[in-house]
Amino acid sequence: MNKKRPSAPKATRPPDPAATTAPQRHIAVIGAGMAGVVCARTLVQAGHRVSLFEKSRGFGGRMATRHTEFGDFDHGAQYFTVRDPRFVTLLKTVPALARPWSANTVRVLDELGHVLASAPPPSEAHFVGAPSMNTLVRHWAQPLNDGSLSADTLLETRVTHIERDALDATRWQLRTEGPADAQHVYGGFDQVLLALPNVQADSLLRASGLLPALREAMAHVTVAPCWTLMVAYPNAMQPGLSHLGPHWNAARSTHHRISWLARESSKPGRSPIERWTIQASPAWSAEHLEDDAERVKAKMLKGFAQITGIRAEPGHAVTHLWRYAQTQQPLGQPFLWDAEAGIGLCGDWCLGHRVENAFVSGLELALKVA
């Protein structure tokens, strides 16, 4: 019996890269702090089109800087540390924009400013943005806003509702509010990613009637508020008087109102005018959450004077309330993602309260979606 000889293998063409590459998707990222900007940049680099929405006038979130005639105040995140090797690699690309802050620091002060515990030699460098804390995020966001990438940015645009696209029910559209109560609808999104504080993300999903399972997953997350006071003493700039008050530049405190103080002029690249950023404790901030700003300012100034001995009248004193400032109980994982709906959530609250937590969360969600 004759056996049929095997036929020679057919010649095959190499795979067409265009045929194997996933199609470009249009992805909305809501929130332009560290997590949102890193997420958006990563998705664009993966070949997708991104629309970035931010309710404020600029980038940075709590990596914020308040500009005044007396100099700048980093009134959100005070510094950041670097542990994740991917964050290390990224920062090496912008060495001039992230500089070590070698502050003369004490660890803990009592109610009257007496040192309870001295700071040990730092185990890791403390970095600040230069010349201001929001410089890093603004730099990384620039290509998302200048037309050089497949992205567009809408500032001063608050997303109020996520719903199925009226023209294509497989996609999403976003209802928004802008300046002067202008309303607009943006559509055609394959996925929607929320890089928002957990409470704001929950409110947006609830208002949209979406994904109760994701809302339930972050129900145990708690984030404390923080009242922040910014003071400047321009009259301290006199011959023979380099600064007012203590010789240390940063400290944590057990004062019932004040938990952190930092001399802004001690940071690299800052102007020399004597300026302090003072942050209230989470408990005191929560207790006085709805207080009048002037009343909060008076109370915090009194606490600041008790701790530092600086009783001169400041030439500038302004408060700012961060309603969602420091994570007390994190989610415990880098992000939340519903693949079927194409909706995800990220932010520092997923992992902790550090700047690097926001970076990792935004990056990991983007890598999952991409």
Side-chain angles (χ1 to χ4, degrees), residues 160-173:
T160 61
H161 206 83
I162 306 169
E163 60 194 16
R164 285 298 179 181
D165 193 298
L167 301 179
D168 182 352
T170 66
R171 292 187 166 90
W172 296 102
Q173 66 183 23

mmCIF file with all atom_site columns, all heavy atoms in Angstrom, residues 160-173:
data_model
loop_
_atom_site.group_PDB
_atom_site.id
_atom_site.type_symbol
_atom_site.label_atom_id
_atom_site.label_alt_id
_atom_site.label_comp_id
_atom_site.label_asym_id
_atom_site.label_entity_id
_atom_site.label_seq_id
_atom_site.pdbx_PDB_ins_code
_atom_site.Cartn_x
_atom_site.Cartn_y
_atom_site.Cartn_z
_atom_site.occupancy
_atom_site.B_iso_or_equiv
_atom_site.pdbx_formal_charge
_atom_site.auth_seq_id
_atom_site.auth_comp_id
_atom_site.auth_asym_id
_atom_site.auth_atom_id
_atom_site.pdbx_PDB_model_num
ATOM 1   N N   . THR A 1 160 ? -19.468 65.711 35.272 1.00 0.00 ? 160 THR A N   1
ATOM 2   C CA  . THR A 1 160 ? -20.593 65.549 36.192 1.00 0.00 ? 160 THR A CA  1
ATOM 3   C C   . THR A 1 160 ? -21.341 64.237 35.999 1.00 0.00 ? 160 THR A C   1
ATOM 4   O O   . THR A 1 160 ? -22.075 63.813 36.884 1.00 0.00 ? 160 THR A O   1
ATOM 5   C CB  . THR A 1 160 ? -21.603 66.699 36.016 1.00 0.00 ? 160 THR A CB  1
ATOM 6   O OG1 . THR A 1 160 ? -22.107 66.684 34.664 1.00 0.00 ? 160 THR A OG1 1
ATOM 7   C CG2 . THR A 1 160 ? -20.945 68.047 36.290 1.00 0.00 ? 160 THR A CG2 1
ATOM 8   N N   . HIS A 1 161 ? -21.153 63.598 34.842 1.00 0.00 ? 161 HIS A N   1
ATOM 9   C CA  . HIS A 1 161 ? -21.940 62.401 34.551 1.00 0.00 ? 161 HIS A CA  1
ATOM 10  C C   . HIS A 1 161 ? -21.227 61.562 33.501 1.00 0.00 ? 161 HIS A C   1
ATOM 11  O O   . HIS A 1 161 ? -20.699 62.097 32.520 1.00 0.00 ? 161 HIS A O   1
ATOM 12  C CB  . HIS A 1 161 ? -23.330 62.796 34.043 1.00 0.00 ? 161 HIS A CB  1
ATOM 13  C CG  . HIS A 1 161 ? -24.385 61.771 34.298 1.00 0.00 ? 161 HIS A CG  1
ATOM 14  N ND1 . HIS A 1 161 ? -25.044 61.660 35.499 1.00 0.00 ? 161 HIS A ND1 1
ATOM 15  C CD2 . HIS A 1 161 ? -24.892 60.791 33.511 1.00 0.00 ? 161 HIS A CD2 1
ATOM 16  C CE1 . HIS A 1 161 ? -25.919 60.669 35.439 1.00 0.00 ? 161 HIS A CE1 1
ATOM 17  N NE2 . HIS A 1 161 ? -25.850 60.110 34.231 1.00 0.00 ? 161 HIS A NE2 1
ATOM 18  N N   . ILE A 1 162 ? -21.209 60.248 33.716 1.00 0.00 ? 162 ILE A N   1
ATOM 19  C CA  . ILE A 1 162 ? -20.704 59.285 32.739 1.00 0.00 ? 162 ILE A CA  1
ATOM 20  C C   . ILE A 1 162 ? -21.899 58.474 32.248 1.00 0.00 ? 162 ILE A C   1
ATOM 21  O O   . ILE A 1 162 ? -22.645 57.921 33.058 1.00 0.00 ? 162 ILE A O   1
ATOM 22  C CB  . ILE A 1 162 ? -19.665 58.337 33.362 1.00 0.00 ? 162 ILE A CB  1
ATOM 23  C CG1 . ILE A 1 162 ? -18.530 59.131 34.031 1.00 0.00 ? 162 ILE A CG1 1
ATOM 24  C CG2 . ILE A 1 162 ? -19.105 57.381 32.322 1.00 0.00 ? 162 ILE A CG2 1
ATOM 25  C CD1 . ILE A 1 162 ? -17.623 58.264 34.887 1.00 0.00 ? 162 ILE A CD1 1
ATOM 26  N N   . GLU A 1 163 ? -22.074 58.399 30.929 1.00 0.00 ? 163 GLU A N   1
ATOM 27  C CA  . GLU A 1 163 ? -23.217 57.666 30.398 1.00 0.00 ? 163 GLU A CA  1
ATOM 28  C C   . GLU A 1 163 ? -22.861 57.060 29.044 1.00 0.00 ? 163 GLU A C   1
ATOM 29  O O   . GLU A 1 163 ? -21.856 57.439 28.427 1.00 0.00 ? 163 GLU A O   1
ATOM 30  C CB  . GLU A 1 163 ? -24.426 58.599 30.254 1.00 0.00 ? 163 GLU A CB  1
ATOM 31  C CG  . GLU A 1 163 ? -24.170 59.775 29.325 1.00 0.00 ? 163 GLU A CG  1
ATOM 32  C CD  . GLU A 1 163 ? -25.212 60.872 29.446 1.00 0.00 ? 163 GLU A CD  1
ATOM 33  O OE1 . GLU A 1 163 ? -25.959 60.878 30.435 1.00 0.00 ? 163 GLU A OE1 1
ATOM 34  O OE2 . GLU A 1 163 ? -25.256 61.740 28.544 1.00 0.00 ? 163 GLU A OE2 1
ATOM 35  N N   . ARG A 1 164 ? -23.681 56.123 28.591 1.00 0.00 ? 164 ARG A N   1
ATOM 36  C CA  . ARG A 1 164 ? -23.453 55.527 27.291 1.00 0.00 ? 164 ARG A CA  1
ATOM 37  C C   . ARG A 1 164 ? -23.601 56.578 26.187 1.00 0.00 ? 164 ARG A C   1
ATOM 38  O O   . ARG A 1 164 ? -24.463 57.456 26.253 1.00 0.00 ? 164 ARG A O   1
ATOM 39  C CB  . ARG A 1 164 ? -24.424 54.366 27.047 1.00 0.00 ? 164 ARG A CB  1
ATOM 40  C CG  . ARG A 1 164 ? -24.063 53.107 27.815 1.00 0.00 ? 164 ARG A CG  1
ATOM 41  C CD  . ARG A 1 164 ? -22.705 52.577 27.398 1.00 0.00 ? 164 ARG A CD  1
ATOM 42  N NE  . ARG A 1 164 ? -22.300 51.380 28.133 1.00 0.00 ? 164 ARG A NE  1
ATOM 43  C CZ  . ARG A 1 164 ? -21.140 50.764 27.945 1.00 0.00 ? 164 ARG A CZ  1
ATOM 44  N NH1 . ARG A 1 164 ? -20.261 51.247 27.075 1.00 0.00 ? 164 ARG A NH1 1
ATOM 45  N NH2 . ARG A 1 164 ? -20.836 49.684 28.636 1.00 0.00 ? 164 ARG A NH2 1
ATOM 46  N N   . ASP A 1 165 ? -22.733 56.479 25.185 1.00 0.00 ? 165 ASP A N   1
ATOM 47  C CA  . ASP A 1 165 ? -22.719 57.444 24.088 1.00 0.00 ? 165 ASP A CA  1
ATOM 48  C C   . ASP A 1 165 ? -24.048 57.387 23.334 1.00 0.00 ? 165 ASP A C   1
ATOM 49  O O   . ASP A 1 165 ? -24.527 56.315 22.968 1.00 0.00 ? 165 ASP A O   1
ATOM 50  C CB  . ASP A 1 165 ? -21.556 57.124 23.146 1.00 0.00 ? 165 ASP A CB  1
ATOM 51  C CG  . ASP A 1 165 ? -21.273 58.251 22.172 1.00 0.00 ? 165 ASP A CG  1
ATOM 52  O OD1 . ASP A 1 165 ? -22.178 58.571 21.370 1.00 0.00 ? 165 ASP A OD1 1
ATOM 53  O OD2 . ASP A 1 165 ? -20.167 58.810 22.209 1.00 0.00 ? 165 ASP A OD2 1
ATOM 54  N N   . ALA A 1 166 ? -24.619 58.549 23.073 1.00 0.00 ? 166 ALA A N   1
ATOM 55  C CA  . ALA A 1 166 ? -25.915 58.612 22.394 1.00 0.00 ? 166 ALA A CA  1
ATOM 56  C C   . ALA A 1 166 ? -25.834 58.118 20.956 1.00 0.00 ? 166 ALA A C   1
ATOM 57  O O   . ALA A 1 166 ? -26.841 57.677 20.386 1.00 0.00 ? 166 ALA A O   1
ATOM 58  C CB  . ALA A 1 166 ? -26.434 60.052 22.417 1.00 0.00 ? 166 ALA A CB  1
ATOM 59  N N   . LEU A 1 167 ? -24.641 58.165 20.350 1.00 0.00 ? 167 LEU A N   1
ATOM 60  C CA  . LEU A 1 167 ? -24.485 57.742 18.959 1.00 0.00 ? 167 LEU A CA  1
ATOM 61  C C   . LEU A 1 167 ? -23.917 56.333 18.824 1.00 0.00 ? 167 LEU A C   1
ATOM 62  O O   . LEU A 1 167 ? -23.988 55.744 17.746 1.00 0.00 ? 167 LEU A O   1
ATOM 63  C CB  . LEU A 1 167 ? -23.580 58.732 18.214 1.00 0.00 ? 167 LEU A CB  1
ATOM 64  C CG  . LEU A 1 167 ? -24.058 60.182 18.172 1.00 0.00 ? 167 LEU A CG  1
ATOM 65  C CD1 . LEU A 1 167 ? -23.055 61.052 17.437 1.00 0.00 ? 167 LEU A CD1 1
ATOM 66  C CD2 . LEU A 1 167 ? -25.433 60.279 17.533 1.00 0.00 ? 167 LEU A CD2 1
ATOM 67  N N   . ASP A 1 168 ? -23.313 55.814 19.897 1.00 0.00 ? 168 ASP A N   1
ATOM 68  C CA  . ASP A 1 168 ? -22.716 54.481 19.865 1.00 0.00 ? 168 ASP A CA  1
ATOM 69  C C   . ASP A 1 168 ? -22.767 53.903 21.267 1.00 0.00 ? 168 ASP A C   1
ATOM 70  O O   . ASP A 1 168 ? -21.954 54.235 22.124 1.00 0.00 ? 168 ASP A O   1
ATOM 71  C CB  . ASP A 1 168 ? -21.271 54.559 19.361 1.00 0.00 ? 168 ASP A CB  1
ATOM 72  C CG  . ASP A 1 168 ? -20.607 53.196 19.255 1.00 0.00 ? 168 ASP A CG  1
ATOM 73  O OD1 . ASP A 1 168 ? -21.205 52.195 19.709 1.00 0.00 ? 168 ASP A OD1 1
ATOM 74  O OD2 . ASP A 1 168 ? -19.488 53.119 18.717 1.00 0.00 ? 168 ASP A OD2 1
ATOM 75  N N   . ALA A 1 169 ? -23.723 53.023 21.509 1.00 0.00 ? 169 ALA A N   1
ATOM 76  C CA  . ALA A 1 169 ? -23.958 52.516 22.861 1.00 0.00 ? 169 ALA A CA  1
ATOM 77  C C   . ALA A 1 169 ? -22.834 51.631 23.379 1.00 0.00 ? 169 ALA A C   1
ATOM 78  O O   . ALA A 1 169 ? -22.837 51.269 24.562 1.00 0.00 ? 169 ALA A O   1
ATOM 79  C CB  . ALA A 1 169 ? -25.270 51.736 22.893 1.00 0.00 ? 169 ALA A CB  1
ATOM 80  N N   . THR A 1 170 ? -21.848 51.315 22.541 1.00 0.00 ? 170 THR A N   1
ATOM 81  C CA  . THR A 1 170 ? -20.699 50.534 23.019 1.00 0.00 ? 170 THR A CA  1
ATOM 82  C C   . THR A 1 170 ? -19.639 51.430 23.633 1.00 0.00 ? 170 THR A C   1
ATOM 83  O O   . THR A 1 170 ? -18.666 50.930 24.210 1.00 0.00 ? 170 THR A O   1
ATOM 84  C CB  . THR A 1 170 ? -20.070 49.725 21.874 1.00 0.00 ? 170 THR A CB  1
ATOM 85  O OG1 . THR A 1 170 ? -19.484 50.621 20.909 1.00 0.00 ? 170 THR A OG1 1
ATOM 86  C CG2 . THR A 1 170 ? -21.108 48.844 21.204 1.00 0.00 ? 170 THR A CG2 1
ATOM 87  N N   . ARG A 1 171 ? -19.812 52.731 23.477 1.00 0.00 ? 171 ARG A N   1
ATOM 88  C CA  . ARG A 1 171 ? -18.827 53.683 24.002 1.00 0.00 ? 171 ARG A CA  1
ATOM 89  C C   . ARG A 1 171 ? -19.477 54.562 25.079 1.00 0.00 ? 171 ARG A C   1
ATOM 90  O O   . ARG A 1 171 ? -20.649 54.458 25.377 1.00 0.00 ? 171 ARG A O   1
ATOM 91  C CB  . ARG A 1 171 ? -18.243 54.524 22.866 1.00 0.00 ? 171 ARG A CB  1
ATOM 92  C CG  . ARG A 1 171 ? -17.360 53.719 21.906 1.00 0.00 ? 171 ARG A CG  1
ATOM 93  C CD  . ARG A 1 171 ? -16.674 54.634 20.904 1.00 0.00 ? 171 ARG A CD  1
ATOM 94  N NE  . ARG A 1 171 ? -15.599 53.934 20.213 1.00 0.00 ? 171 ARG A NE  1
ATOM 95  C CZ  . ARG A 1 171 ? -15.744 53.257 19.092 1.00 0.00 ? 171 ARG A CZ  1
ATOM 96  N NH1 . ARG A 1 171 ? -16.943 53.194 18.518 1.00 0.00 ? 171 ARG A NH1 1
ATOM 97  N NH2 . ARG A 1 171 ? -14.721 52.661 18.532 1.00 0.00 ? 171 ARG A NH2 1
ATOM 98  N N   . TRP A 1 172 ? -18.635 55.458 25.641 1.00 0.00 ? 172 TRP A N   1
ATOM 99  C CA  . TRP A 1 172 ? -19.092 56.338 26.718 1.00 0.00 ? 172 TRP A CA  1
ATOM 100 C C   . TRP A 1 172 ? -19.064 57.794 26.274 1.00 0.00 ? 172 TRP A C   1
ATOM 101 O O   . TRP A 1 172 ? -18.273 58.190 25.416 1.00 0.00 ? 172 TRP A O   1
ATOM 102 C CB  . TRP A 1 172 ? -18.190 56.184 27.951 1.00 0.00 ? 172 TRP A CB  1
ATOM 103 C CG  . TRP A 1 172 ? -18.227 54.831 28.573 1.00 0.00 ? 172 TRP A CG  1
ATOM 104 C CD1 . TRP A 1 172 ? -17.285 53.838 28.446 1.00 0.00 ? 172 TRP A CD1 1
ATOM 105 C CD2 . TRP A 1 172 ? -19.244 54.306 29.434 1.00 0.00 ? 172 TRP A CD2 1
ATOM 106 N NE1 . TRP A 1 172 ? -17.658 52.733 29.170 1.00 0.00 ? 172 TRP A NE1 1
ATOM 107 C CE2 . TRP A 1 172 ? -18.855 52.986 29.801 1.00 0.00 ? 172 TRP A CE2 1
ATOM 108 C CE3 . TRP A 1 172 ? -20.436 54.816 29.944 1.00 0.00 ? 172 TRP A CE3 1
ATOM 109 C CZ2 . TRP A 1 172 ? -19.619 52.185 30.641 1.00 0.00 ? 172 TRP A CZ2 1
ATOM 110 C CZ3 . TRP A 1 172 ? -21.204 54.021 30.782 1.00 0.00 ? 172 TRP A CZ3 1
ATOM 111 C CH2 . TRP A 1 172 ? -20.796 52.713 31.117 1.00 0.00 ? 172 TRP A CH2 1
ATOM 112 N N   . GLN A 1 173 ? -19.887 58.588 26.922 1.00 0.00 ? 173 GLN A N   1
ATOM 113 C CA  . GLN A 1 173 ? -19.807 60.034 26.780 1.00 0.00 ? 173 GLN A CA  1
ATOM 114 C C   . GLN A 1 173 ? -19.819 60.670 28.169 1.00 0.00 ? 173 GLN A C   1
ATOM 115 O O   . GLN A 1 173 ? -20.310 60.083 29.135 1.00 0.00 ? 173 GLN A O   1
ATOM 116 C CB  . GLN A 1 173 ? -20.949 60.589 25.934 1.00 0.00 ? 173 GLN A CB  1
ATOM 117 C CG  . GLN A 1 173 ? -22.345 60.461 26.537 1.00 0.00 ? 173 GLN A CG  1
ATOM 118 C CD  . GLN A 1 173 ? -23.436 60.966 25.595 1.00 0.00 ? 173 GLN A CD  1
ATOM 119 O OE1 . GLN A 1 173 ? -23.255 61.022 24.375 1.00 0.00 ? 173 GLN A OE1 1
ATOM 120 N NE2 . GLN A 1 173 ? -24.578 61.369 26.159 1.00 0.00 ? 173 GLN A NE2 1
#
